[in-house]
Amino acid sequence: MRPPPDPSRAASPRRSPIFLIAFALANVGGVIAYLPLLTLLLPLKIEVLSGSARIGVFTACVTAGAITASGSNILFGWLSDRSLHRGAGRRRWMAGGFAATAASYALVALAATPVQIVAAIVVFQFAVNALLAPMMAIMSEEIPDAQKGVAGGLLALGSPVASAMSTLLIGLATLPEAARLALVPCAVGLCVLPLLLGGRAVATGPTDPAAPAGTAFARRDLAVAGCSRLLVQVAGVVTQAYLLYYFESIVAAGARPDLPVRIGHLLTLAFVLPLPVALLLGRLSDVIRRRKPVLLLSASVATAGLVGMAAARDWTGGAIAFAVYAAGSSVFVALHAAFAMQLLPSPRHRGRDLGLLNLANTLPSLLGPPLTWMLATPRDFSAVMLTLGALTLCGGLGMLGVRAWR
């Protein structure tokens, strides 16, 4: 049975549409900061540097980057907590993270050996998490729970815009690699600037009304939610990082030169389609105050897409299956972010706790590449896709174990 409304939550000030849009735009910038690089620009660069050894080198980049991202997200979340409690706010950390991210792109452009590209990605992951960690903490504390479903739906805007950016960069065939890489931080800066310039709002309540701050109940629910997201995100890591290599395994050799551009178009379409669905379901979950059924449904859709990718034997079948997977996964990840923010046990440690929760995004980068290396070959990704489908379904079912009433 639904509990009575919480008076303290009802009193939380609602944020204006302009602020929600500013945050959504900043999130778009955060996704642009990493998605074009990790899904297309980096695989293409490694293919040139390493040839037939590309899967091994790329796996090294993803693994080293994930280890760095895991620690740096917690670190910068904690540092932004300290800054906030001293009255300085979190936005200065965002600004520093953006500057460091721009510098790291220069290192990626200059890398000329496998060792150098791995080192450049380590620096990049350290820098980009200095941008992302305080930004997500701002969402947690400056957007009230009654609007977190809509805000979570707006998070789904990041992937299609970043994918469109990927398509644009790949389509500019006349531009040298360094120029393509330089365009990314320029776009990121334009996106994050409105949120950086916006003043800090009064913080809203961070915890679920059914789970008082600091209790073992809240910590347990947050851990269950994190484990569920981790299982779903393993597939996200593999499908983003190895998508080019997956399609190379199912298309004819003569069609492979056109794959980067076609994949860029596919990513844009696949991430645009679920956007209105994410917004609608996010708003619905705000109104009915139930998020778990939506999360289970979206994980089931993502599982169906992964099974379809395992069965596909040509571009058309693989593209349709990937679009189905992306629709379910995008909705799950976006709305899960909003739900998890309501489970944070302490308002004094939002940044740190979100950094710990972010392990559900970074640890899959340690699990996905070895899993792919063991189960996939340059000509066959079927076994790994079926395994990812099983993990995704388990992740969706795991959300039923969250005891909070939502």
Side-chain angles (χ1 to χ4, degrees):
M1 183 174 64
R2 181 182 301 178
D6 183 0
S8 66
R9 298 223 166 249
S12 297
R14 293 181 68 85
R15 301 314 308 266
S16 69
I18 293 177
F19 180 83
L20 295 179
I21 291 171
F23 178 80
L25 187 61
N27 179 67
V28 166
V31 180
I32 288 176
Y34 65 83
L35 193 142
L37 176 64
L38 298 181
T39 58
L40 283 177
L41 298 179
L42 182 61
L44 287 172
K45 185 177 182 74
I46 289 176
E47 198 162 27
V48 172
L49 291 177
S50 305
S52 60
R54 60 188 182 274
I55 292 182
V57 174
F58 192 80
T59 298
C61 282
V62 173
T63 303
I67 294 172
T68 305
S70 298
S72 60
N73 199 278
I74 298 171
L75 171 65
F76 288 111
W78 174 72
L79 288 173
S80 71
D81 284 339
R82 291 175 59 86
S83 181
L84 180 69
H85 299 322
R86 291 174 179 174
R90 303 185 192 272
R91 284 167 172 80
R92 61 176 58 189
W93 289 102
M94 280 186 63
F98 163 68
T101 299
S104 72
Y105 266 82
L107 294 179
V108 173
L110 293 172
T113 67
V115 173
Q116 289 176 358
I117 194 63
V118 172
I121 291 302
V122 168
V123 174
F124 161 76
Q125 288 284 13
F126 187 82
V128 78
N129 279 279
L131 168 66
L132 297 176
M135 182 177 71
M136 298 311 294
I138 288 173
M139 175 183 173
S140 174
E141 67 198 4
E142 296 187 18
I143 298 177
D145 286 358
Q147 291 179 287
K148 279 189 169 72
V150 170
L154 286 170
L155 293 181
L157 182 63
S159 292
V161 176
S163 298
M165 182 73 177
S166 302
T167 304
L168 175 64
L169 293 172
I170 295 300
L172 297 174
T174 58
L175 280 183
E177 176 191 83
R180 294 182 188 181
L181 290 170
L183 286 174
V184 175
C186 292
V188 174
L190 291 174
C191 291
V192 302
L193 189 60
L195 187 62
L196 286 176
L197 296 179
R200 175 174 173 259
V202 177
T204 63
T207 58
D208 192 291
T215 65
F217 184 100
R219 290 192 293 271
R220 183 261 183 197
D221 272 355
L222 188 63
V224 172
C227 290
S228 295
R229 185 183 180 98
L230 185 151
L231 293 174
V232 173
Q233 285 289 73
V234 174
V237 166
V238 174
T239 54
Q240 285 190 10
Y242 295 90
L243 192 60
L244 176 63
Y245 303 152
Y246 163 75
F247 277 109
E248 285 180 346
S249 74
I250 63 173
V251 303
R256 291 177 185 173
D258 297 329
L259 277 179
V261 173
R262 297 174 75 182
I263 290 174
H265 289 300
L266 173 63
L267 286 170
T268 303
L269 178 64
F271 290 128
V272 164
L273 291 177
L275 178 59
V277 178
L279 286 171
L280 176 64
L281 293 178
R283 176 56 183 160
L284 179 64
S285 69
D286 283 339
V287 172
I288 67 173
R289 303 173 71 191
R290 292 286 188 274
R291 306 206 196 276
K292 289 188 285 185
V294 177
L295 291 170
L296 178 56
L297 174 63
S298 58
S300 299
V301 172
T303 299
L306 290 167
V307 173
M309 290 179 72
R313 293 296 177 264
D314 56 25
W315 165 264
T316 301
I320 292 173
F322 175 76
V324 172
Y325 161 74
S329 177
S330 296
V331 173
F332 181 93
V333 170
L335 298 188
H336 184 281
F339 182 47
M341 287 177 184
Q342 295 177 247
L343 304 175
L344 296 178
S346 170
R348 292 186 57 83
H349 303 293
R350 289 186 181 96
R352 182 204 65 188
D353 290 342
L354 284 171
L356 292 170
L357 183 64
N358 188 63
L359 293 174
N361 296 325
T362 56
L363 290 182
S365 295
L366 301 178
L367 301 175
L371 187 68
T372 305
W373 181 76
M374 288 187 295
L375 298 179
T377 70
R379 295 184 178 86
D380 187 8
F381 275 70
S382 298
V384 72
M385 290 301 167
L386 290 174
T387 303
L388 295 175
L391 293 176
T392 299
L393 184 59
C394 289
L397 292 171
M399 289 304 299
L400 300 179
V402 176
R403 292 180 293 182
W405 58 271
R406 290 187 182 86

